[in-house]
Amino acid sequence: MYKGQRLVNWCPRCGTALADDEVDHEDTQGAMYHLYYEYADGSGKIEVATTRPETFFGDTAVAVNPNDERYKSIVGKMLKLPLTGKEIPIIADDYVDMEFGTGMVKITPAHDPNDWEVGKRHNLEVINLLTPDGKMNENVPEKYQGLKPEEARKLVIEDLTEAGLFKEEEKMVHSVGKCYRCKTVVEPYLSSQWFVKMKPMADKALAAWKNGDIQFFPKKWENTYSHWLENIRDWCVSRQIWWGHRIPAWYCDDCGETMVSRTDICECTKCKSKNVHQDPDVLDTWFSSWLWPFSTLGWPEKTPDMETFFPTSALVTAYDIIFFWVSRMIMASLEFTGKVPFHDIYIHGLVRDKQGRKMSKSLGNGIDPLEIIDLYGSDALKYTLSFMCAQGQDILIDKDSFKLGSRFCNKVWNASRYILGNLEGRNLIPVKDADLTELDKWIYSRLNAAVKANREALESYRYNDAASSLMEFFWNEFCDWYVEATKLSFWHGDEHEKDRAVSVLLNVLEESLRLLHPFMPFVTEEIYGKLPLEEIVENRKKAGKNKILSESVYKAMLINAPFPCVAAERDNPAVQSRFDVLKDLIGQVRALRAECGIDPANKINIAILVTKGSEAEVCHEKVDMIKLLAGVANVEFVEAKPASSVGTVGKGFEAFILVDESINKDQLIARFKKEIEQETVWVKRSEAKLNGNFAQHAPAEVVQQERDKMEESKRKIEKLESYIASL
């Protein structure tokens, strides 16, 4: 740290200096004012433009670009500063943009950061025009002293106009810096402040990122990180407010010595005078915060907490909290400990309303989490936010959004209740590999895939992918396919088969609960407590499958149980391929039934044409499963398309709904014809739009959407006509 007279961001209302990142820049309606400055020798005048004409009293030069042929001859000439008796020079500096405005820029070192740098290069006088409370000071003519800048601006323009030195006012929108606390316009202000030399620390922080010691999720924040560090400026850390750590510097009133100490100083270390006082300023709270990762753990002492928790694995923060805090913590940790404070940096989005607005009391668009918990439960709240938390994106929600999590929690509860309900009168038994059916091998393969997907997503902070993979596995694959298919064992199996089936169901359920637990801890903990855990674990040991199925011994509470691990031996691509065909066939029959408007409660008859040698030959072995899951009364295998049928095609098979006595053929044909009429109307409407002005004036993507809708309607008409022809 060092103390220096520098140009800082100053909030007149708060009466304190601010760091660059504490200034919020907002687009504001303003104006560019064009003024004339006369040559001191009376040979003419030049034109300059400024958004703040009241600051020209602090001008100490007018600059032009040294390569600008228009002005090379006037560099070094003197100008008369309007409304004053002062003279200022014309200087040449590369800072000036020849293409902007007149190519002439007034230089006010005390009131513009860029002018400050120009002033240092040319050793220009620095004239501060403002008091600490933001009013014009004694360095302006008396009639303007004590006025606010806006008031002085109006009067200055009137006086310049009267003197014939005001050309015009050009309305414009420009970025204005405002205090992040009170939104007052921030003034560039010359002041004596404490600064931190940032470049050496920034270089270390950049090296840590380039070496892979830290990584961002999502990666786009790496660009923000590197850009800020590569263009960093010294940090103004002294604040003139009653909050924060007081600066540990003392001054001797007699000899002027400056002293720094961890403890209070009562006398000057140089002249031994007792007339000493401490610096009245405090350190920026972000300065205290950048020490947080290690100062909270007992640093600079080597404490047990420092050994255990520093560095930590991850930092999780929202992007609306000042991002640079992350960078500063890294710089401070590297500087004072030699280590990065964390390895992974997860920058998450914000929860906003459906219109994309931040939630606030003033807008009245906030959602009370406690109200959501009362309506749907805390697990529904947690799961929904996880499901919608796409990396790098904000979450847009309303109260109804949480129905998603509520429905999934209910599904987990009801499926578990069904499985536990089948325990009555059953004996849990050890289930070895040889005892597993092809259906069991399939669900273990899918469970393994879910564990793998979940672990990979969590390790890369893709919480929405983890949550969606859980719903896909538990609701779709486990409940809708596996649990439904196991009903065959309970309906038609002997006592041993029923015991075996329920034992496998419980094994899969127990591990699924462990997989679900981080996302819905309360529901899963409640269910877990109702499982016959000791029997489950004991049977796993007897089956020699404890490592694969449990990874641990019995745990009384789910929160203490281990998270599932990937087991390569569970992968079974052959079984997976066979069941993919079955799922495709059953899904297509269900869709065809819905397309035909056949009541799901009606048992229909179907025919299947299987390509010899294809994986679809599994259908011959799984007739009972097809009948159960597709809602079919009878399955017939054929060599050619049956008469009076409507069909669908999949990999290695064709499936047909037989339009026999179980289906009203005339009613079905009438339905198809009505749908054809409706789709024909849509096609004609689309053709009319695409052949008219719409295609010429609408955006290209909208025109393409209309064309796609028309093609889809044509395909549907073609398909329905083929159905009618089949009947």
Side-chain angles (χ1 to χ4, degrees), residues 566-586:
V566 177
E569 54 267 46
R570 284 180 173 175
D571 288 335
N572 199 323
V575 169
Q576 178 70 50
S577 295
R578 283 161 60 83
F579 270 82
D580 284 347
V581 174
L582 282 173
K583 285 178 65 182
D584 186 24
L585 182 139
I586 293 166

Side-chain angles (χ1 to χ4, degrees), residues 153-192:
R153 183 179 308 162
K154 184 178 179 181
L155 193 56
V156 163
I157 291 172
E158 290 176 358
D159 291 344
L160 287 171
T161 302
E162 186 177 339
L165 299 176
F166 182 74
K167 180 182 179 184
E168 62 182 345
E169 175 183 331
E170 180 186 350
K171 294 294 183 184
M172 62 176 289
V173 174
H174 62 129
S175 180
V176 174
K178 296 184 178 180
C179 174
Y180 80 108
R181 289 192 188 94
C182 66
K183 302 305 178 184
T184 300
V185 173
V186 169
E187 298 285 353
Y189 185 71
L190 187 63
S191 178
S192 179

Side-chain angles (χ1 to χ4, degrees), residues 11 102 229 293 314 321 398 405 452 461 486 527 531 620 625 721:
C11 175
T102 62
L229 290 177
I321 295 175
D398 56 18
K452 183 178 181 182
Y461 303 92
T486 57
I527 297 168
L531 299 182
H620 291 287
M625 189 183 297
E721 287 175 342

Side-chain angles (χ1 to χ4, degrees), residues 665-675 677 724:
K665 183 188 295 188
D666 294 335
Q667 194 178 58
L668 192 58
I669 291 174
R671 176 188 175 88
F672 291 157
K673 286 182 177 179
K674 185 177 180 180
E675 287 190 35
E677 289 175 7
I724 294 173

